[in-house]
Amino acid sequence: MRVLREILRQPSALFGFIIILIVAIGALGAPLLAPFNPDEQMFDGLTLEGAPMPPGSPFLLGTDTLGRDLLSRMLFGARTSLLIGLVANGVAVAIGLLVGITAGYMRGFAGNLLMRFTDLMMAFPALLLAIVLAALLKPSLWIVAMVIALVNWVQVARIVYTETRGLVERDFILAERSLGAGHGRILFLHILPHLIPTAIVWGTLGIATTVLLEATLSFLGIGVQPPNPSWGNIIFESQSYFQAAPWLVFFPGAVILLTALAFNLVGDALRDLLDPTQRGRG
């Protein structure tokens, strides 16, 4: 609660928190808030010329190229994008923690081998690697989440490795070892609690990257597949109508931008509060 109060005192973090709250409410309440079925092609959803309807009553954000309500698809798309963001980033943080703690604590040949593999993964452009993996596997919601997790864990692993290396040389760890404490006790009771703030910070910041990466993969046609809506594939389906119906690209693009910005603002605030390396810096 103290951390939440401190975040709400910062205007930028408060703005980000409100945006995240609005998006979360829209995603969770999509079945109740959506005015239409997101997959229903409305009889009056297209003009006489077959063009999408512009924003206005009864379609507040207009319709897409198939006459489906854009607001309804964006609400259900929020569920897809946030679910992938949370799951993919949660798995990425878990993998990064496991690799970083193991390499930092064991050191020696095993630790060096793990970190050289991490460096090898960091050498590949994340987007290019994600495109290759998504193209090799059959795209689906969970496959996309796992692909994103597999390319996003390396930054967490590097940070956790560095912090673990510093922790194992601290006096309280050396004292535990001299008293005969086992590796499990040292790792779970003395090292892991010091890494939780780092995991929270990078977990929050990583959601923004994950949402953007999911939108990029869906925009390229190798992410979440239609008819399941996501913000990225809404833009993908409508890109050819950018000049005739710009709202089809503008609205989902603006939501992606605001959501990524919101998680970055909250993540920066959490880093200032929880990351010990940031304390005292102005």
Side-chain angles (χ1 to χ4, degrees):
M1 292 302 294
R2 181 191 66 84
V3 173
L4 181 60
R5 287 196 300 269
E6 290 294 330
I7 289 176
L8 296 181
R9 289 175 182 172
Q10 303 180 35
S12 59
L14 176 60
F15 172 77
F17 184 81
I18 292 173
I19 295 297
I20 292 172
L21 187 61
I22 292 173
V23 172
I25 291 174
L28 294 175
L32 299 175
L33 297 174
F36 302 98
N37 185 322
D39 298 324
E40 183 180 356
Q41 300 181 29
M42 306 293 177
F43 177 76
D44 56 346
L46 296 173
T47 65
L48 294 177
E49 293 78 17
M53 293 292 290
S57 180
F59 308 109
L60 295 181
L61 299 185
T63 61
D64 67 4
T65 56
L66 297 178
R68 298 171 296 188
D69 180 57
L70 182 59
L71 175 59
S72 300
R73 290 189 62 76
M74 286 183 57
L75 287 172
F76 278 88
R79 307 182 94 187
T80 302
S81 297
L82 285 186
L83 179 61
I84 290 179
L86 292 172
V87 171
N89 204 53
V91 173
V93 170
I95 295 174
L97 274 173
L98 178 62
V99 172
I101 291 177
T102 303
Y105 185 78
M106 293 178 63
R107 293 183 288 184
F109 175 78
N112 287 332
L113 182 63
L114 283 172
M115 293 317 297
R116 296 297 76 77
F117 175 70
T118 302
D119 293 339
L120 179 64
M121 292 293 293
M122 292 183 72
F124 288 97
L127 178 58
L128 180 60
L129 184 59
I131 290 174
V132 171
L133 291 174
L136 293 175
L137 302 171
K138 183 179 179 181
S140 69
L141 190 148
W142 299 111
I143 290 296
V144 171
M146 292 304 102
V147 165
I148 294 174
L150 289 175
V151 301
N152 273 357
W153 62 269
V154 290
Q155 292 85 359
V156 179
R158 173 57 69 179
I159 295 295
V160 169
Y161 169 76
T162 302
E163 291 197 14
T164 304
R165 284 290 301 268
L167 286 170
V168 295
E169 301 296 338
R170 299 280 293 274
D171 291 341
F172 68 93
I173 298 295
L174 298 177
E176 283 290 322
R177 283 179 173 169
S178 66
L179 293 174
H183 297 309
R185 177 182 176 85
I186 293 174
L187 283 171
F188 288 101
L189 294 183
H190 298 286
I191 292 181
L192 186 59
H194 286 81
L195 300 174
I196 293 300
T198 300
I200 293 173
V201 170
W202 281 91
T204 306
L205 288 170
I207 292 176
T209 303
T210 304
V211 169
L212 288 172
L213 188 53
E214 181 278 325
T216 302
L217 292 176
S218 296
F219 173 74
L220 294 174
I222 53 177
V224 178
Q225 298 299 295
N228 295 323
S230 79
W231 294 334
N233 68 23
I234 290 174
I235 297 177
F236 171 71
E237 293 172 348
S238 309
Q239 57 181 321
S240 59
Y241 281 77
F242 174 70
Q243 292 184 329
W247 62 87
L248 295 178
V249 175
F250 173 78
F251 287 127
V255 171
I256 293 171
L257 177 63
L258 282 174
T259 303
L261 176 62
F263 277 108
N264 275 323
L265 291 174
V266 173
D268 284 339
L270 282 173
R271 181 175 57 189
D272 294 338
L273 292 172
L274 298 178
D275 190 344
T277 63
Q278 299 293 322
R279 292 172 188 164
R281 295 186 181 182

